[in-house]
Amino acid sequence: MANEHAPLTVALEQLDLAAKKLRLDDGIHKILSQPKRSIMVSIDIRMDDCTVGVFKGIRVQHWDVKGPFKGGIRYYPNITVEEVTALAMLMTWKCAVADIPYGGAKGGVCCDTKKMSLGELERLTRRYVSLIADYLGPHRDIPAPDMYTDAQTMAWIMDTYSQLKGYSIPESVTGKPVEIGGSEGRTEATGRGVVHCIKKAAEVTGLRLKNATVAIQGFGNVGYHAAQAIHDIGCRVVAVSDSTGGIYCAEGLDPARVLAHKEKTGSVQNFKGCTNITNEELLEAECDILIPAALGNQIKRKNANKIKARMIAEAANGPTTPEADRILFEKGTCLIPDILANSGGVTVSYFEWVQNLTREHWSLEEVNRKLESKMTQAFDDVYKLSQEEESDMRTAALMLGVGRVANAIRTRGLWP
Ligand code: NAD
């Protein structure tokens, strides 16, 4: 029997739900159930100790009917093609919900970045790109950062792709450092976008944000910037965590000081004035808003009833299982789904690509203004549909995303 929490099982279940609600044509449903292309490569590199390291690399391109494939690359041990396929599918719906002209893709390399040197990571990245380069490109498939990859990784990707083509192609990847064509505000975009959604959700649910308490699982790129943005609007971040565990402080934490501590010690734990907690305790902590910003499958049947937050904003991809979704909906928890909540990252990636294609550079103010406007529109579209359908916001977001992609397939037709 398939694992009910396996990301691909969940993604297909979500597609089936949207297809049923939309009364989708069987043919289009069948098309969208499969990725257009899955690429598996073996990445052989010289390790620092002169031995040979062999790593599994994956790139899954789900569907590109509305524009080039777009999606992050994740470096993580034990990543599977099924998981990457599920994440690629989510990207297709996410780009459609954000109303940006991209399809969905995702990449992954099975490796433990914590055990690798910078030189090994660079060689791994360049070799991976060289193996999939025929399927990448600014009008074909544009990678971006995800878990355990960052702006430096994107710089290596851009350089390798450009070297292979013989000229500089900054528009081949997003999330690059600003000095080589990256966009202002890209690093913070996903976290900021999550907070724009929380502000809109607070308006419609009547949650007072001043002094509202927030717990955040994951203190990486997304978790940290979400913490900073929500702290800046007057909420109290009472708990944060990373892969080593978490911390809790009822009076609230200063995210910048916690980051400095993490950079010095390698962990958020043992921060002065805080109690150490586990990741499980963080999810169940006393708070108004919970932001999962790490891995998938964190909120499940086992703990959904113990979650005290009135609002959950899914900064991570796939943090809630369908069973937990049902429990939370019945409890009246306001859940802002991943394909809406974390779409700020791909939205500013789109801005970066547009700037690269037109050889422009927008100011941070302009990027942030455009981001807020896109997030507000996406939230309003999803919320309105959820009201019309009397459904939870995940179902509405899936209906919106799947519906837009299905319409585009119908309009373009099949070839030949
Ligand atoms: P990151 O590598 O910068 O940070 C990941 C964080 O998760 C780290 O703090 C790490 O310690 C923590 N973590 C790892 N394992 C954990 C565990 N078992 N329990 C608790 N914490 C754990 O990655 P990121 O870019 O911040 O991505 C986080 C999530 O957001 C992922 O689900 C990713 O797919 C999603 N996301 C990222 C972006 C983006 O722009 N980077 C965009 C959309 C969605």
Side-chain angles (χ1 to χ4, degrees):
M1 196 182 93
N3 174 359
E4 61 182 327
H5 295 153
L8 189 54
T9 310
V10 173
L12 288 171
E13 194 179 310
Q14 291 178 343
L15 171 62
D16 292 350
L17 172 73
K20 195 166 153 215
K21 290 273 222 173
L22 291 162
R23 295 198 185 84
L24 207 65
D25 170 274
D26 270 356
I28 292 182
H29 188 179
K30 245 191 312 188
I31 289 175
L32 293 175
S33 309
Q34 298 287 334
K36 197 166 183 181
R37 188 177 289 119
S38 304
I39 309 158
M40 302 276 291
V41 293
S42 177
I43 309 166
D44 317 327
I45 59 159
R46 185 72 59 197
M47 305 302 282
D48 288 347
D49 63 3
C50 287
T51 58
V52 173
V54 181
F55 300 87
K56 182 170 78 178
I58 304 164
R59 183 75 180 168
V60 175
Q61 299 174 329
H62 176 246
W63 204 251
D64 63 345
V65 69
K66 284 167 76 68
F69 295 108
K70 185 89 189 82
I73 293 176
R74 178 179 285 203
Y75 286 178
Y76 206 72
N78 306 323
I79 194 152
T80 63
V81 71
E82 287 77 18
E83 186 179 351
V84 178
T85 304
L87 291 164
M89 203 180 267
L90 276 186
M91 280 305 296
T92 307
W93 318 145
K94 189 184 299 181
C95 293
V97 168
D99 205 14
I100 50 180
Y102 284 141
K106 203 79 179 188
V109 177
C110 286
C111 65
D112 187 348
T113 58
K114 290 180 186 165
K115 295 190 181 141
M116 295 173 73
S117 71
L118 204 62
E120 288 169 340
L121 285 171
E122 177 173 357
R123 293 194 290 281
L124 175 92
T125 304
R126 289 184 182 279
R127 188 61 180 253
Y128 171 56
V129 173
S130 76
L131 289 164
I132 61 171
D134 284 349
Y135 300 96
L136 301 180
H139 300 290
R140 202 166 280 163
D141 183 353
I142 310 147
D146 197 84
M147 285 188 81
Y148 297 105
T149 57
D150 58 15
Q152 177 59 74
T153 326
M154 299 307 115
W156 293 327
I157 293 177
M158 179 212 152
D159 185 69
T160 308
Y161 187 80
S162 298
Q163 299 286 354
L164 289 170
K165 297 292 166 188
Y167 59 102
S168 271
I169 312 173
E171 57 272 29
S172 58
V173 65
T174 61
K176 303 176 291 291
V178 172
E179 62 270 29
I180 55 164
S183 178
E184 304 289 344
R186 171 60 185 90
T187 313
E188 313 90 287
T190 309
R192 287 186 79 96
V194 169
V195 176
H196 289 313
C197 284
I198 291 174
K199 284 196 288 188
K200 290 293 298 175
E203 258 171 53
V204 297
T205 57
L207 174 69
R208 217 175 93 87
L209 285 179
K210 182 95 198 123
N211 264 325
T213 51
V214 186
I216 304 178
Q217 184 193 42
F219 205 61
N221 175 296
V222 178
Y224 168 68
H225 289 291
Q228 192 59 61
I230 205 141
H231 173 78
D232 290 346
I233 60 166
C235 295
R236 228 172 344 130
V237 179
V238 292
V240 298
S241 70
D242 59 22
S243 59
T244 63
I247 49 175
Y248 179 86
C249 172
E251 289 80 50
L253 303 155
D254 176 351
R257 289 184 52 214
V258 178
L259 181 67
H261 169 80
K262 179 174 163 69
E263 278 169 354
K264 203 160 112 197
T265 65
S267 164
V268 296
Q269 287 215 307
N270 304 316
F271 185 67
K272 202 162 162 250
C274 292
T275 315
N276 284 342
I277 55 171
T278 63
N279 262 295
E280 290 71 37
E281 286 168 334
L282 179 132
L283 295 171
E284 297 164 19
E286 199 65 62
C287 64
D288 298 309
I289 303 167
L290 174 64
I291 307 180
L295 302 168
N297 274 340
Q298 297 300 295
I299 306 174
K300 316 180 236 214
R301 185 176 50 177
K302 209 169 76 189
N303 60 357
N305 253 322
K306 298 185 192 151
I307 285 172
K308 302 186 187 66
R310 293 164 57 190
M311 185 183 290
I312 300 176
E314 293 185 330
N317 284 311
T320 314
T321 67
E323 285 171 317
D325 259 345
R326 286 188 276 275
I327 296 170
L328 293 166
F329 186 57
E330 274 160 29
K331 269 192 358 164
T333 310
C334 167
L335 186 143
I336 312 169
D338 46 10
I339 57 173
L340 168 64
N342 70 33
S343 64
V346 74
T347 298
V348 176
S349 273
Y350 164 65
F351 296 161
E352 180 173 329
W353 180 70
V354 171
Q355 290 171 77
N356 293 158
L357 287 170
T358 54
R359 298 294 184 259
E360 282 187 23
H361 188 78
W362 303 347
S363 68
L364 180 61
E365 292 68 31
E366 187 172 358
V367 170
N368 283 343
R369 186 168 36 80
K370 286 190 156 95
L371 172 65
E372 181 158 15
S373 150
K374 277 298 232 182
M375 295 304 300
T376 303
Q377 185 64 54
F379 184 93
D380 288 346
D381 290 349
V382 171
Y383 184 70
K384 184 163 164 271
L385 192 56
S386 76
Q387 296 298 101
E388 286 165 8
E389 292 289 323
E390 296 180 2
S391 75
D392 59 310
M393 283 213 279
R394 181 169 339 267
T395 306
L398 286 165
M399 286 178 71
L400 189 68
V402 173
R404 283 176 174 167
V405 176
N407 274 339
I409 293 181
R410 213 173 288 120
T411 308
R412 280 180 59 163
L414 290 185
W415 181 84

